Amino acid sequence: METLRIATRKSPLALWQSEHVAEALRDAHPGLMVSLVPLSTRGDEVLDRSLAAIGGKGLFLKELELAMLRGEADCAVHSLKDVPMDLEGPFALPAILPRADHADAFVSNHHDGIDALPAGARVGTSSLRRQAQLRALRADLALRDLRGNVNTRLARLDDGDYDAIVLACAGLERLGFASRIRARLDAPRWLPAPAQGAIVIETRDRDARVQALCAALDHADTRACVEAERAMNRALHGSCHVPVAAFARLDAGLLTLQGLVGSAVDGRVARAQASASVGDAEALGRHVAHSLLEAGAAQFLPSLP
Ligand SMILES: NCc1[nH]cc(CCC(=O)O)c1CC(=O)O
């Protein structure tokens, strides 16, 4: 019988996402045996330093990629927002699943939203993108680092370490915590990470059998949106070192991309927006990146060539 082994991180969200993909693959290919190969990654283990300090988001991928190269897994499942703009090595992304809720969530036990926070309130997030947008809206807030998986972050909020935290709606909803969302932080006022809410399957680029199986789950509309967002981020050399936010929506064949680059230090932000036909996702991303630079984004970016 044909089999497929999915490498996954061990966090509750990663396991949920990988099980979701396994179910979808079994549905698409009756008779296919799909199993999970749970692995620990450096990004999960080192929680006392920022992701930027320990080498960026690629840390979540590397161990899973090595398992594929060793032949211990056929594919890996990731949150696309954690996948670097340029894959390194002999890998491909044959399936991007339909996007869930793209928005960030304001989570608090005492307050209804960012505007309702008292002066100087402690808000937990280690994301430079979220810090910059919080600063832009409320210069008085006391931003505090907060890493760890979704469950850990909620537990620290409940312990009273923070007055509020910001998380992705998609992660909360997948783990059964939708009731913790006090407010959705929505465009145009607040933008998510490029590709937030989209799950992706990574395979070896030469493995045609596995790529064909996975491609059955690819969702063209989601791929077009996240391609525009990721092309914008790529053109800005975006990574977790840089506060870049992007959101594209597709409406009757027209793709509209909103982008933001900001400063986590003082909350200044540059914004830009443009539309293009769905076939021009990459060009749209580059165009919005260019507009952002014209709007002053370069001063917030570490080093542009
Ligand atoms: N940074 C970790 C991460 N990667 C993906 C998600 C949420 C799920 C998604 O965006 O698909 C999260 C948690 C969060 O940001 O709250």
Side-chain angles (χ1 to χ4, degrees), residues 38-304:
L39 299 166
S40 206
T41 74
R42 205 166 137 71
D44 297 299
E45 279 161 13
V46 184
L47 294 180
D48 56 345
R49 281 167 279 162
S50 75
L51 280 184
I54 56 176
K57 284 190 169 174
L59 288 174
F60 289 124
L61 271 76
K62 194 153 178 229
E63 273 85 353
L64 309 191
E65 291 178 342
L66 290 173
M68 284 191 274
L69 293 179
R70 286 195 303 266
E72 293 163 12
D74 302 299
C75 62
V77 168
H78 312 287
S79 296
L80 184 53
K81 82 165 175 174
D82 295 332
V83 175
M85 298 314 115
D86 296 301
L87 283 181
E88 280 174 28
F91 300 103
L93 304 175
I96 297 171
L97 275 69
R99 189 178 226 174
D101 194 337
H102 63 271
D104 271 341
F106 176 88
V107 181
S108 171
N109 293 318
H110 305 289
H111 308 287
D112 283 334
I114 294 173
D115 298 334
L117 285 169
R122 299 156 307 156
V123 183
T125 175
S126 292
S127 152
L128 295 176
R129 174 185 61 82
R130 289 172 177 154
Q131 289 175 2
Q133 295 189 89
L134 284 163
R135 284 239 179 285
L137 294 170
R138 289 282 306 267
D140 62 295
L141 297 176
L143 305 185
R144 301 279 166 83
D145 271 328
L146 173 58
R147 282 207 50 219
N149 67 45
V150 173
N151 309 60
T152 311
R153 292 188 218 185
L154 289 172
R156 290 195 58 193
L157 172 70
D158 294 343
D159 284 345
D161 294 355
Y162 309 93
D163 297 302
I165 63 178
V166 180
L167 289 168
C169 287
L172 291 166
E173 284 159 7
R174 288 171 185 151
L175 293 173
F177 295 128
S179 64
R180 305 284 310 242
I181 302 172
R182 289 292 282 262
R184 292 179 82 256
L185 302 174
D186 237 325
R189 194 171 181 233
W190 183 285
L191 298 182
Q196 184 159 303
I199 296 171
V200 65
I201 313 180
E202 182 182 23
T203 65
R204 281 164 292 184
D205 63 356
R206 296 281 171 78
D207 197 338
R209 173 191 83 98
V210 171
Q211 283 189 45
L213 288 171
C214 294
L217 305 191
D218 192 52
H219 187 248
D221 288 1
T222 298
R223 185 177 282 274
C225 291
V226 300
E227 248 173 33
E229 294 161 11
R230 281 169 63 81
M232 185 200 98
N233 202 18
R234 188 179 294 119
L236 296 168
H237 299 264
S239 69
C240 59
H241 302 264
V242 181
V244 175
F247 176 58
R249 72 179 87 233
L250 181 57
D251 193 20
L254 190 72
L255 206 48
T256 300
L257 173 64
Q258 296 169 278
L260 175 152
V261 181
S263 161
V265 178
D266 62 19
R268 285 180 301 155
V269 294
R271 295 172 184 275
Q273 165 173 341
S275 298
S277 108
V278 62
D280 294 327
E282 286 221 30
L284 176 62
R286 286 195 301 270
H287 174 76
V288 172
H290 187 76
S291 303
L292 283 166
L293 292 172
E294 284 184 336
Q299 53 192 314
F300 312 130
L301 297 166
S303 58
L304 275 181

